[in-house]
Amino acid sequence: MTPYRPGPHAADRDPVPRPTPSRPRTARSPWKILLAVATAVTLLVGGLGLWSVAGAYWSPGNESFSAKWADWMRPHGAASVVDSFESYYYTAHQPDKGGAPKALNSEVQAGPRTMTTGRLDAQLSPPPPIPLVVSPALAGEGQWQPIGPGVGGRSTMYEAQFRADDIYTSEITTAVWMDPGRLRIQLVPGSTEPGRTWSHPPYILPADLPDVVAAFNGGFRFQDARGGIYLDGRTAKPLVDGAASMVIYRNGRIDVGTWGSEVAMTPDVVSVLQNLVPMVDHGQISASAKYDDRRVWGYTLDTKIVVARSGLGITKDGALIYVAGPALTARTLAESLARAGAVRAMTLDLNPEWVTFNLYSHPVATSPMQVVGSKLYPQMQRPADRYLPPTRESRDFFQVSLG
């Protein structure tokens, strides 16, 4: 039999169970918090960086990776970062003031070829010499030299080299004069600028190779151009009144002017490319071109930064003038266009990646499909075969062919 063992007295029992004591909560170290935040930020930035690299890598076009990366970042929320970096870079790499080149650049040729049939428009006279602003002049400075194939005993294209100002006197600017009455000039859409699907692929057609003589860059990205584009009978980007416009007509005539006043839409218009405001009007620097107003010229690069720039104008008798140089401000580009004979002119693209004028020659007479490109001046970064098939060009450009 189990002996009886009395339990504890009721008075000795706890009326309420006692809770188990908890360990005091330790405060998190601020250094650990900072490390966690830094890790998260690093992962986020790294992820965005990889995303941007992948986006740039898979972007169409034949430009350098750095140019693709910049173009990809701008519409993806990093435009201010890209613009700030470009402004800092080009400001820090300004050309030296003063000095003089030993000689002009070697001339390039789009010929030699002679065309005896085709369009019979009135042939324009060669342009007068370009007024110089630097003394003493270089041998041949400001003098137009024939570089294009001949038609009717005259060249269809001329080139002149000169200094744009009396500050950066070691830098050479180049102008090209083209006769639209003997040449066929057309606007070609790029794969991303303006994008969309067009009847013309974003390169020179193989069928056009026997007659192509040159090609040169178009304008800004349309998000910066403050203008539009019309081509193939449709408007890809809305045309803007007051914008500087390059207009090509059905009969081959070219004009450059202010949209809505000097030029306008008619049934004969084949294409229109707009870019910012006019640089030259009535042969003088345009009153609408305020060169310290970034709202007018955009924020990609300050107008006073000396960098590669290009522009396009029309002379009083209807010739087309292209001007480009490795060391121009917006103002000296406008002055150069006016000195080269443009009565109305507009800016085209800028910075060394995008400023391109290539001349194409056909060295073997029996092989008209064989085309060799030459850069207008040696500082142009893009290869001399830019715009040739089958590589797709990302931005709009102008093709120049025998008429």
Side-chain angles (χ1 to χ4, degrees):
M1 183 176 187
T2 303
Y4 170 77
R5 295 180 180 178
H9 194 274
D12 295 334
R13 298 177 185 169
D14 291 331
V16 179
R18 296 178 180 177
T20 303
S22 60
R23 298 177 61 183
R25 184 174 297 175
T26 304
R28 195 170 185 183
S29 168
W31 293 107
K32 291 184 178 180
I33 296 175
L34 182 61
L35 178 61
V37 172
T39 301
V41 171
T42 300
L43 291 174
L44 177 61
V45 172
L48 292 175
L50 290 174
W51 181 39
S52 66
V53 168
Y57 179 81
W58 292 109
S59 295
N62 57 348
E63 63 268 27
S64 67
F65 175 78
S66 59
K68 285 186 178 183
W69 198 8
D71 276 356
W72 188 93
M73 292 177 69
R74 280 195 170 98
H76 288 83
S80 59
V81 175
V82 176
D83 294 343
S84 297
F85 175 79
E86 285 189 346
S87 180
Y88 169 79
Y89 178 85
Y90 290 117
T91 300
H93 293 79
Q94 297 290 276
D96 295 332
K97 297 180 180 180
K102 294 181 179 179
L104 298 177
N105 297 319
S106 299
E107 293 177 7
V108 292
Q109 298 287 330
R113 280 183 294 170
T114 299
M115 182 180 174
T116 58
T117 60
R119 291 170 54 194
L120 300 176
D121 298 3
Q123 188 160 344
L124 302 179
S125 299
I130 295 177
L132 304 182
V133 297
V134 180
S135 182
L138 300 171
E141 184 174 6
Q143 302 296 317
W144 295 95
Q145 304 295 331
I147 60 170
V151 176
R154 289 181 182 174
S155 177
T156 56
M157 302 170 68
Y158 289 82
E159 175 203 59
Q161 301 178 38
F162 56 97
R163 265 79 63 83
D165 56 50
D166 58 1
I167 299 175
Y168 300 98
T169 51
S170 63
E171 302 292 340
I172 296 174
T173 296
T174 305
V176 178
W177 178 98
M178 291 167 273
D179 184 353
R182 292 295 186 269
L183 297 170
R184 178 168 52 90
I185 300 167
Q186 63 186 113
L187 175 61
V188 180
S191 60
T192 58
E193 295 291 323
R196 303 190 181 187
T197 301
W198 301 89
S199 61
H200 198 297
Y203 49 73
I204 296 171
L205 289 172
D208 290 343
L209 290 178
D211 293 325
V212 68
V213 295
F216 57 90
N217 62 275
F220 288 2
R221 288 169 54 93
F222 285 101
Q223 66 183 36
D224 302 313
R226 296 177 176 268
I229 181 172
Y230 171 85
L231 188 62
D232 264 1
R234 59 193 176 102
T235 302
K237 304 289 182 182
L239 300 177
V240 178
D241 284 343
S245 307
M246 197 280 204
V247 185
I248 301 177
Y249 296 91
R250 202 170 305 281
N251 63 358
R253 185 172 69 89
I254 305 293
D255 206 352
V256 176
T258 304
W259 190 255
S261 57
E262 296 171 328
V263 290
M265 184 60 68
T266 71
D268 294 328
V269 170
V270 173
S271 62
V272 180
L273 180 68
Q274 297 183 323
N275 202 46
L276 302 184
V277 297
M279 300 193 89
V280 176
D281 199 14
H282 297 92
Q284 304 294 323
I285 305 302
S286 176
S288 63
K290 307 296 184 182
Y291 293 99
D292 56 353
D293 189 349
R294 298 188 75 183
R295 294 172 300 177
V296 171
W297 295 96
Y299 291 84
T300 54
L301 280 181
D302 190 275
T303 58
K304 297 179 181 179
I305 291 178
V306 180
V307 71
R309 297 177 188 267
S310 61
L312 194 66
I314 197 79
T315 66
K316 63 181 179 180
D317 58 359
L320 192 64
I321 298 286
Y322 175 93
V323 170
L328 293 168
T329 65
R331 179 85 186 191
T332 57
L333 172 61
E335 292 170 347
S336 297
L337 283 159
R339 285 164 55 200
V343 294
R344 296 185 299 278
M346 60 189 284
T347 186
L348 293 178
D349 219 339
L350 80 166
N351 96 34
E353 179 71 30
W354 299 113
V355 176
T356 299
F357 190 111
N358 291 336
L359 290 112
Y360 302 117
S361 62
H362 300 70
V364 181
T366 56
S367 301
M369 301 296 289
Q370 182 180 345
V371 177
V372 176
S374 302
K375 299 178 184 181
L376 183 63
Y377 60 79
Q379 296 96 323
M380 288 182 169
Q381 288 187 359
R382 301 295 292 279
D385 61 355
R386 184 184 182 186
Y387 309 128
L388 294 178
T391 304
R392 297 167 62 85
E393 172 59 34
S394 62
R395 297 197 181 186
D396 51 85
F397 67 93
F398 292 97
Q399 176 182 327
V400 184
S401 307
L402 286 171

